[in-house]
């Protein structure tokens, strides 16, 4: 058996070959591999969401630059402008997270009702998911929001006139 495994590994070095003897459980190695893939998928999803939020915040800042400039010229500090932009991103993240969780739960119910009803639904996990997505939204919007808050607002109003 070891000879066959070594020949298989020599012929296919790109494959992850799980070796186990009779009665051995390879489930531990498989579960660790699945865990690594799951963590990568979560990180990749968070990165994609962050880029989408960054683009959304950038376009929103460009679209609302006259309103932001008006607030700044009327005496609003740049921290207020920044807080307004981040609050907008965080509220959009909260709505998106709540909608995504609800849609995911409905899809799971549709696919396997018995398994979903037997799951241990933790309010802490839902709260962590919501707060994590709100954080990703605010973090993704931080760059464009800082640029919008620190812009030359008088020049923006002159340019628009």
């Amino acid at each position: 058996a070891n000879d066959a495994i070594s020949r298989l590994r020599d012929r296919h070095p790109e494959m992850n070959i799980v070796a186990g003897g009779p009665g051995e459980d390879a489930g531990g190695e498989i579960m660790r591999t699945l865990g690594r893939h799951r963590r990568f998928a979560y990180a990749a999803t968070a990165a994609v969401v962050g880029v989408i939020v960054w683009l959304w915040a950038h376009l929103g800042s460009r679209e609302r630059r006259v309103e932001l400039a008006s607030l700044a010229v009327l005496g609003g500090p740049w921290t207020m402008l920044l807080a307004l932009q981040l609050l907008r991103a965080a509220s959009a993240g909260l709505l998106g997270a709540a909608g995504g969780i609800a849609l995911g739960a409905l899809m799971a119910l549709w696919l396997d009702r018995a398994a979903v009803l037997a799951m241990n639904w933790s309010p802490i996990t839902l709260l962590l998911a919501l707060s994590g997505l709100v954080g990703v939204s605010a973090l993704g919007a931080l760059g464009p929001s800082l640029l919008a808050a620190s812009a030359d607002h008088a020049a923006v109003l002159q340019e628009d006139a």
Side-chain angles (χ1 to χ4, degrees), residues 57-74:
H58 177 70
L59 292 173
S61 297
R62 293 287 300 160
E63 190 175 293
R64 288 168 183 75
R65 62 192 177 114
V66 173
E67 290 89 351
L68 291 171
S70 298
L71 280 173
V73 168
L74 290 173

Side-chain angles (χ1 to χ4, degrees), residues 1-12 17 19:
N2 288 336
D3 187 42
I5 290 171
S6 61
R7 280 197 317 263
L8 193 57
R9 284 185 176 148
D10 290 340
R11 287 186 185 147
H12 301 286
I17 298 169

